[in-house]
């Protein structure tokens, strides 16, 4: 079980790190220093948007399969992901990572999760 936990935590580390690196490359395409982006990413985004308490609150919903879309839907998130892909391409930044996230959101919508929140992606990840 320890190896499985370690693997899951490594996956989370790489996904988070890749998100930061892609974001830094994206703003870097407009000559914004990575250090300036890091201030915003680490000083505001991580503690507010990826608030650990908020994620902990959502964990029971994963176990229950409850993903209310009252604060945002998968459709809304797909729109944002399309924007990220388009902007990446326009800025000449590698776009495979956001394309994959967009494809996953499209898959979730195709599986009937369009009106649920982004945590419904859990249902897609659970299936091999």
């Amino acid at each position: 079980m320890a190896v499985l936990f370690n693997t899951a935590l490594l996956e989370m580390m790489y996904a988070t790190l890749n998100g930061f690196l892609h974001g830094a490359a994206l703003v870097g395409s407009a000559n914004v220093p990575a250090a300036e982006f890091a201030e915003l990413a680490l000083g505001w985004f991580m503690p507010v948007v990826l608030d650990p308490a908020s994620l902990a609150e959502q964990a029971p919903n994963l176990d229950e399969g409850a993903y209310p879309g009252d604060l945002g839907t998968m459709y809304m998130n797909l729109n944002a992901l399309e924007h990220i892909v388009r902007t990446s391409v326009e800025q000449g930044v590698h776009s495979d990572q956001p394309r994959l996230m967009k494809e996953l959101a499209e898959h979730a919508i195709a599986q009937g999760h369009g009106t649920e929140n982004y945590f419904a992606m859990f249902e897609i990840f659970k299936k091999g």
Side-chain angles (χ1 to χ4, degrees):
M1 188 57 74
V3 172
L4 191 58
F5 270 88
N6 185 57
T7 303
L9 291 170
L10 280 171
E11 193 277 336
M12 188 174 170
M13 178 193 74
Y14 284 112
T16 303
L17 185 55
N18 284 339
F20 170 77
L21 295 172
H22 188 270
L26 194 56
V27 299
S29 72
N31 298 316
V32 174
E36 184 178 333
F37 177 66
E39 282 183 41
L40 182 61
L42 302 175
W44 174 76
F45 181 83
M46 292 297 287
V48 173
V49 177
L50 291 180
D51 173 32
S54 187
L55 291 177
E57 286 176 19
Q58 291 296 323
N61 290 344
L62 299 179
D63 296 329
E64 296 169 13
Y67 315 105
D70 52 339
L71 296 178
T73 66
M74 192 65 70
Y75 290 118
M76 181 195 78
N77 284 283
L78 176 59
N79 186 22
L81 291 164
E82 288 169 341
H83 174 72
I84 296 167
V85 170
R86 186 172 50 254
T87 303
S88 296
V89 170
E90 289 169 357
Q91 293 299 116
V93 173
H94 197 276
S95 61
D96 284 0
Q97 178 178 282
R99 280 184 205 280
L100 174 59
M101 292 185 298
K102 177 181 129 344
E103 290 170 10
L104 288 167
E106 290 170 336
H107 186 63
I109 289 168
Q111 295 294 314
H113 301 288
T115 60
E116 296 174 320
N117 69 44
Y118 197 80
F119 284 90
M121 191 65 73
F122 182 63
E123 297 301 321
I124 303 306
F125 291 143
K126 289 191 319 186
K127 299 174 185 168

